[in-house]
Amino acid sequence: MQNRSKKKIMVVLGTRPEIIKLAPILFELEKATNRFQTDLVWSGQHIELAKPFLKLFGLKPRHSFEIMIPNQTSGDICSLTMGKLSGLVKKSKPDLLMVQGDTTTAFTAALCAFYHGVPVAHVEAGLRSGHPDQPFPEEKNRKLISHLSTFNFAPTLLAKQNLLKEKIDPKSVFVVGNSVIDAIQWLLKHHPKPKTTNFAPFDPKKEKLLLVTAHRRESFGTPLENICKALVILARRHSNLKIVFPVHSNPKVQEIVLPILKNHKQIHLMPPLDYVSFIHLLTQSFAILSDSGGVQEEAPALGKPALILRDVTERPEGIAMGVNRLVGRETGRIITGVEALLNDPVEYKKRARVCFPFGRGNAAEKIVRILKEKY
Ligand code: UDP
């Protein structure tokens, strides 16, 4: 490590969830400018989807690679990011490189830091589904990052146990909560109201809003078709149900979702929402049906039951608390899962309660405090 009065932390991010979850840590590092200097790098793994998120949090990357190419594979993201980041790390010589989560940007940046002898801090370490390809490539990405990291910031005790089972040095593991809760609290404080409320026309007095997101690679093809068919049947059976589905821009998602769901009176399709609108819409919904990782963490903090469109999850803490539930990607099971909430008020009340299985909103503060102690 170099002997600089201020420690240089290179923070590398690429996608929407990384921006959301690293923003609170960047804010906290900003408060400690006497100790740390941050160097923000955006790989551009996602461009159009991610830009509004950088803007919302006021983040201005010093380096943008914009590596996104049509039909990009994880191999493309890895080789292009490594190609650009390696020279930057060599020149900039950070004291620490910070990544978040499980994206290929995060894995590549951690590997790059390792090759250059730069210690790695991994935010949201230790999540494991136990299935090597669910989600793919994220499960392997996050496992590999753990083995490259000097600081493993685990969100929960379970995540810490996962790391210890893999013989990760216990001294490198710190349970701090998930910074997504910090991000929601920041958002609700700074944007207590959405900019517009008419993007999803529904009458809260008469209708129940079911928010839907589905775009994971494992859902492409038949599973996504099954999900859409379940939505059509649910709308047909429940005239008071309004389904709002921000549809991911990936053509593999659009080509399945649009033909089945467009022109349906109770189903409202729209482009992906900005974070403020999405979180406010979630606060107005009855429940959320989603294959997203972050949504499983956000929903309990807002008292909304999450029905998870996956067979396994690396975030079982919400299920253990009795609020989230796995409903898989088969039409019948999804319908049963939603109807259990629609038809049984006692069950709904049990599941629609505010709880914090993923931390209380002070993860960023804890992470920066630990870094101050260590440096
Ligand atoms: N999200 C959003 N607008 C949308 C859909 C999702 O702001 O239209 C947010 C959501 O609140 C969550 C994050 O995007 O925090 C999840 O992103 P994604 O599902 O792409 O990634 P994952 O969390 O599965 O890694």
Side-chain angles (χ1 to χ4, degrees):
M1 193 175 302
Q2 297 167 52
N3 187 16
R4 282 197 278 242
S5 59
K6 281 189 196 184
K7 297 299 169 197
K8 189 192 276 190
I9 304 185
M10 182 174 277
V11 180
V12 186
L13 41 74
T15 64
R16 168 168 85 173
E18 289 164 272
I19 298 168
I20 294 170
K21 292 172 174 179
L22 284 168
I25 301 163
L26 287 159
F27 295 159
E28 205 57 34
L29 285 169
E30 195 58 33
K31 290 188 204 156
T33 43
N34 57 332
R35 303 283 299 275
F36 301 113
Q37 175 197 343
T38 52
D39 200 3
L40 185 59
V41 182
W42 179 35
S43 74
Q45 177 170 342
H46 290 163
I47 296 182
E48 289 320 314
L49 205 59
K51 266 187 187 161
F53 287 77
L54 289 171
K55 189 163 171 241
L56 170 71
F57 292 108
L59 303 180
K60 296 192 177 77
R62 187 170 317 161
H63 312 277
S64 298
F65 298 158
E66 309 221 352
I67 51 138
M68 196 173 177
I69 53 170
N71 300 318
Q72 67 184 3
T73 64
S74 302
D76 297 328
I77 299 166
C78 181
S79 64
L80 291 167
T81 303
M82 183 63 88
K84 302 215 177 219
L85 188 62
S86 188
L88 186 63
V89 171
K90 200 166 155 189
K91 199 167 132 210
S92 164
K93 299 187 176 61
D95 297 289
L96 181 73
L97 187 142
M98 181 179 282
V99 294
Q100 190 283 331
D102 52 22
T103 66
T104 301
T105 291
F107 163 63
T108 310
L111 184 62
C112 181
F114 166 72
Y115 285 153
H116 288 281
V118 174
V120 175
H122 185 205
V123 177
E124 199 185 75
L127 274 61
R128 300 288 184 265
S129 74
H131 290 250
D133 54 1
Q134 288 190 48
F136 172 88
E138 289 83 359
E139 177 78 358
K140 279 281 186 226
N141 280 346
R142 54 171 93 100
K143 265 193 161 179
L144 293 164
I145 299 172
S146 305
H147 289 269
L148 296 167
S149 297
T150 302
F151 297 93
N152 283 288
F153 293 119
T156 65
L157 213 50
L158 181 68
K160 175 178 175 170
Q161 285 161 1
N162 290 337
L163 291 166
L164 300 188
K165 268 191 230 152
E166 289 169 18
K167 309 269 182 264
I168 298 295
D169 180 0
K171 290 199 286 300
S172 76
V173 184
F174 305 88
V175 179
V176 294
N178 197 308
S179 55
V180 75
I181 308 300
D182 307 33
I184 301 184
Q185 290 176 357
W186 176 91
L187 182 144
L188 293 174
K189 185 173 163 204
H190 291 87
H191 300 270
K193 288 201 173 98
K195 284 183 209 89
T196 162
T197 47
N198 61 1
F199 44 71
F202 94 106
D203 181 350
K205 288 199 194 90
K206 292 192 200 136
E207 291 172 320
K208 287 185 170 163
L209 185 110
L210 178 68
L211 187 57
V212 180
T213 79
H215 63 262
R216 296 221 53 84
R217 206 177 269 108
E218 308 81 66
S219 303
F220 294 169
T222 311
L224 190 52
E225 228 174 275
N226 293 342
I227 294 166
C228 294
K229 284 182 189 157
L231 298 179
V232 172
I233 297 170
L234 281 164
R236 204 179 295 143
R237 284 193 193 167
H238 302 274
S239 57
N240 66 339
L241 192 66
K242 183 68 141 246
I243 297 170
V244 176
F245 188 167
V247 186
H248 200 276
S249 45
N250 188 326
K252 292 202 172 109
V253 176
Q254 303 235 345
E255 70 198 21
I256 293 173
V257 173
L258 300 187
I260 307 180
L261 298 182
K262 72 174 179 202
N263 300 328
H264 198 292
K265 199 163 75 32
Q266 285 163 255
I267 303 175
H268 192 80
L269 305 179
M270 59 171 73
L273 285 169
D274 66 87
Y275 198 37
V276 176
S277 303
F278 186 79
I279 291 298
H280 281 286
L281 200 56
L282 183 52
T283 62
Q284 292 171 45
S285 10
F286 162 77
I288 180 154
L289 195 57
S290 177
D291 62 3
S292 157
V295 164
Q296 297 175 50
E297 297 153 350
E298 291 161 340
L302 298 170
K304 303 295 167 181
L307 297 157
I308 307 162
L309 296 163
R310 297 193 191 186
D311 301 321
V312 286
T313 179
E314 62 289 327
R315 293 159 165 96
E317 294 89 341
I319 297 173
M321 276 221 179
V323 289
N324 292 352
R325 180 158 297 168
L326 284 174
V327 291
R329 290 161 302 177
E330 280 162 26
T331 307
R333 241 185 104 195
I334 297 167
I335 296 172
T336 308
V338 176
E339 288 189 335
L341 294 174
L342 280 171
N343 297 339
D344 184 350
V346 178
E347 170 75 3
Y348 184 74
K349 203 164 163 217
K350 240 175 29 197
R351 308 242 323 261
R353 60 186 169 86
V354 175
C355 60
F356 296 93
F358 301 99
R360 295 228 158 232
N362 53 0
E365 198 188 305
K366 285 186 182 168
I367 288 171
V368 174
R369 195 186 315 141
I370 292 161
L371 291 178
K372 279 183 185 167
E373 279 164 18
K374 298 285 166 184
Y375 287 95

